[in-house]
Amino acid sequence: MLSLYIHIPFCVRKCAYCDFCSFPGKYSQMEAYCAALKQEIRLTAKQYAHMPVDTVFLGGGTPSVLPPELMKDVLTALHSCFTVLPGAEFTSEANPGTITDAWLDAVTAAGVNRLSIGVQAIQPHLMASLGRIHTFEQAQEALHMARNHGITNLNADAMFGLPGQTLLDYMATLDALAEQDVTHISAYSLIVEEGTPLASQIAQGAAVLPDEDTTADMLESGVDRLAALGYERYEISNFAKPGYACKHNLGYWRQKPYLGLGLAAASLLPPEKTEGDVCYIRRQNTDDMHQYVHLLSQNRLPVAEETPIRKREAMFETIMLGLRTVAGVGYDDFFSRYGTPLTAVYGDAIRTLTAQGLLQPAQGVQKRLALTRRGLALQNTAMMAFMPSKQP
């Protein structure tokens, strides 16, 4: 099985915290970009069309700013080149205020059955501080429109640790999203990336982040509130009603093969032939718009970098990604994949972190390596013990 990611790099305005590959307002480039994207779909399908697709994710940028006719053309090309299985999870990101009935008609006709809407907060002053362009009322309207088009699998994003945000603000946001009866909530801590407008504002004292204790309270209280509201935590930042965990993202955390299409898109693919201890190939497309369009106009793939991932690094990534999830990593699964017992590679780290209360004791026939709730809160710290440099 293969997962597909398609990058739509256009947006109305770049948020203050955003360091993704996205371009505000460059609508004149949309037609040329989509023509190049369709060509990449056709060229790539020659190699991977034999793999059935069970999840698709349209990300950005803001896919909902793409005109319906262009979106329809891209998704028609996708279906003509790849076998998207009936019932596949087909997600698109969208922002309130950019969703239209015509756009929803186009994407639902092409199979989109899950929408992920960026809400982040319900307080106007917090959304303004992030550079968001919508109101919570527009987010409510977007959810209503989606349901009217038959999309009932709905995710809403929420963020905590924002400048000027209080614990009560964050709890109110979670309560408001639950009242909208969304099936999934992604609750992320703000990460301030270098070079973003928000980073400059913080450096200049124009924006002040909550202190570490307050942010930690938001994390812990948010987990409890979401559980009380009926959302099960299945990954550090992701919570779902039973049966609604995001299959596409679970694929990332389980190292399932995925193909990224579009500007700056990343892929994780099986090697074309057995080569030593190479487990898979990581591929990265160019993030230069001009180069992307130019290469595809010459029937050349826009790949900027390919990196073979060998066994030692692959094993660490299995742990790093798997321990983001509540289910963790199965001992038998690890051995089946690598032919090496998990304890033979990471025995010292497992013993140390279990003694520190960060790892759950391995129990039962189907033993799993999984972080405790405290371990999930300190995941970066826990992962240091598994670093390849720390292993014999």
Side-chain angles (χ1 to χ4, degrees):
M1 295 293 178
L2 181 69
S3 289
L4 291 179
Y5 172 82
I6 300 176
H7 192 67
I8 307 298
F10 305 101
C11 58
V12 176
R13 186 171 74 191
K14 205 171 179 76
C15 297
Y17 57 87
C18 178
D19 72 336
F20 296 143
C21 180
S22 60
F23 306 104
K26 294 189 177 181
Y27 301 149
S28 62
Q29 298 181 358
M30 286 180 173
E31 191 168 343
Y33 178 77
C34 288
L37 181 56
K38 289 187 290 183
Q39 181 65 355
E40 186 186 6
I41 290 170
R42 289 188 285 265
L43 293 175
T44 309
K46 293 178 181 179
Q47 188 171 0
Y48 297 105
H50 66 284
M51 300 176 72
V53 174
D54 62 350
T55 73
V56 183
F57 199 102
L58 309 178
T62 305
S64 48
V65 303
L66 201 64
E69 61 276 13
L70 290 181
M71 180 62 81
K72 179 181 177 180
D73 286 348
V74 169
L75 297 183
T76 298
L78 177 72
H79 281 289
S80 69
C81 295
F82 288 91
T83 302
V84 180
L85 295 174
E89 180 189 85
F90 202 139
T91 303
S92 180
E93 292 180 342
N95 271 343
T98 64
I99 298 173
T100 64
D101 285 318
W103 184 85
L104 284 167
D105 285 339
V107 297
T108 53
V112 169
N113 53 26
R114 183 176 184 271
L115 213 59
S116 180
I117 295 179
V119 180
Q120 317 310 358
I122 66 169
Q123 296 81 13
H125 70 284
L126 293 180
M127 285 192 277
S129 73
L130 295 175
R132 304 294 288 175
I133 61 171
H134 65 269
T135 64
F136 182 57
E137 289 71 26
Q138 287 175 307
Q140 291 174 298
E141 176 62 18
L143 293 168
H144 178 70
M145 291 172 67
R147 289 193 177 96
N148 282 345
H149 284 78
I151 302 177
T152 57
N153 190 355
L154 296 163
N155 170 68
D157 291 343
M159 295 181 74
F160 64 92
L162 307 178
Q165 188 182 38
T166 67
L167 177 59
L168 289 177
D169 288 334
Y170 181 51
M171 294 298 102
T173 292
L174 297 181
D175 288 343
L177 296 180
E179 287 174 5
Q180 299 303 307
D181 199 29
V182 294
T183 54
H184 189 286
I185 294 177
S186 296
Y188 298 99
S189 174
L190 173 67
I191 297 175
V192 181
E193 303 287 358
E194 290 185 15
T196 60
L198 183 59
S200 298
Q201 293 168 21
I202 292 169
Q204 296 165 9
V208 180
L209 298 174
D211 59 42
E212 289 185 8
D213 287 343
T214 301
T215 302
D217 285 345
M218 290 180 184
L219 169 63
E220 292 300 314
S221 297
V223 171
D224 290 336
R225 181 63 63 87
L226 286 165
L229 292 167
Y231 296 88
E232 297 177 354
R233 187 187 203 185
Y234 69 96
E235 190 268 346
I236 289 177
S237 303
N238 285 278
F239 305 78
K241 291 188 174 180
Y244 286 97
C246 179
K247 296 174 184 176
H248 186 86
N249 285 342
L250 280 170
Y252 290 148
W253 300 316
R254 293 170 178 167
Q255 293 167 298
K256 176 188 170 190
Y258 58 88
L259 176 62
L261 300 164
L263 196 68
S267 303
L268 188 76
L269 299 164
E272 293 183 38
K273 57 183 179 179
T274 304
E275 182 182 334
D277 64 346
V278 175
C279 296
Y280 44 84
I281 304 295
R282 179 173 290 112
R283 194 162 83 183
Q284 185 76 39
N285 278 358
T286 179
D287 62 359
D288 183 291
M289 175 69 82
H290 175 77
Q291 185 179 43
Y292 177 83
V293 172
H294 175 70
L295 288 171
L296 285 159
S297 72
Q298 298 184 327
N299 295 322
R300 296 164 57 193
L301 286 173
V303 177
E305 186 176 5
E306 281 194 347
T307 307
I309 306 300
R310 301 187 181 277
K311 181 178 177 180
R312 186 177 179 87
E313 184 178 355
M315 289 191 296
F316 171 69
E317 290 188 0
T318 295
I319 301 300
M320 177 184 69
L321 294 168
L323 289 185
R324 290 189 60 88
T325 66
V326 171
V329 179
Y331 279 66
D332 289 346
D333 293 340
F334 188 91
F335 182 80
S336 187
R337 177 176 291 193
Y338 297 112
T340 303
L342 207 159
T343 51
V345 186
Y346 297 114
D348 289 345
I350 292 169
R351 285 186 288 271
T352 298
L353 295 175
T354 302
Q356 293 174 350
L358 301 183
L359 273 178
Q360 299 176 22
Q363 297 174 339
V365 177
Q366 296 293 326
K367 292 196 299 184
R368 304 196 69 80
L369 185 72
L371 293 171
T372 61
R373 176 165 167 164
R374 179 167 173 262
L376 287 168
L378 299 172
Q379 198 248 4
N380 289 338
T381 300
M383 286 311 306
M384 293 298 295
F386 292 100
M387 292 288 290
S389 61
K390 301 281 187 181
Q391 307 312 313

